[in-house]
Amino acid sequence: MSATESHPLLRAVPFRAPTARLALRTQSPSAGPAELDGAWWPRSRDLQSELSALAEVLDPLWGRITRIGVNPRNWPILPPRIFVNGHVVKVGWFTTELDPHGIVLLSYTAGRWDLLVIPPETDAPSAARLMATASADTDPPMTATALIAAEQARHGSGGALSSHGRRQQRAVGM
């Protein structure tokens, strides 16, 4: 008796553009945790899929992302790890140590990167201003929450942003 294995035919898979909406500073990583290295505008509050898309874009740019730190305030579900490009990335959450509107990415080769997390519900004009400000090489350093508050003060929340994020340049994947 013999077993027959049927292998599916290989098929071409179309190129998929990066899904992460991202703006990064042109300089190397920031000198400290208060300074931002750019901004990330996720499409949803599904942290697992959003982090996977972000790390897939950043791995080739910065080297293998090994750890990601988030504040759980704006994320309903926190995965302990995600899988990216064949390796595991550990995800940690910190309620007091991390800015509620920020994310920290760690890489063995590039070090620490701090990004502003723009709430997914943010309207496009507000998101564009926040991304430009967070990725500017000339502006004075501001925390992620300070940038969100400044955007709300200058342009009004208008339903585009809230203090808790419930209604809300080198660009990659815009």
Side-chain angles (χ1 to χ4, degrees), residues 93-122:
W93 56 270
F94 306 92
T95 55
T96 57
E97 296 88 355
L98 289 179
D99 189 312
H101 296 286
I103 186 170
V104 174
L105 300 116
L106 301 174
S107 164
Y108 288 129
T109 55
R112 174 184 173 133
W113 294 78
D114 292 88
L115 298 178
L116 163 69
V117 178
I118 300 168
E121 302 83 14
T122 304

Side-chain angles (χ1 to χ4, degrees), residues 35-122:
E35 192 172 335
L36 294 171
D37 299 300
W40 172 49
W41 186 22
R43 296 178 193 286
S44 73
R45 295 211 179 267
D46 178 0
L47 191 59
Q48 176 125 7
S49 69
E50 295 294 339
L51 284 180
S52 294
L54 177 65
E56 281 180 12
V57 171
L58 295 178
D59 256 12
L61 295 173
W62 293 348
R64 180 178 280 192
I65 304 296
T66 57
R67 292 185 182 269
I68 298 174
V70 299
N71 185 310
R73 180 175 171 192
N74 294 314
W75 303 102
I77 298 173
L78 300 166
R81 69 192 64 78
I82 59 170
F83 298 94
V84 178
N85 297 328
H87 70 278
V88 175
V89 177
K90 293 182 181 181
V91 179
W93 56 270
F94 306 92
T95 55
T96 57
E97 296 88 355
L98 289 179
D99 189 312
H101 296 286
I103 186 170
V104 174
L105 300 116
L106 301 174
S107 164
Y108 288 129
T109 55
R112 174 184 173 133
W113 294 78
D114 292 88
L115 298 178
L116 163 69
V117 178
I118 300 168
E121 302 83 14
T122 304

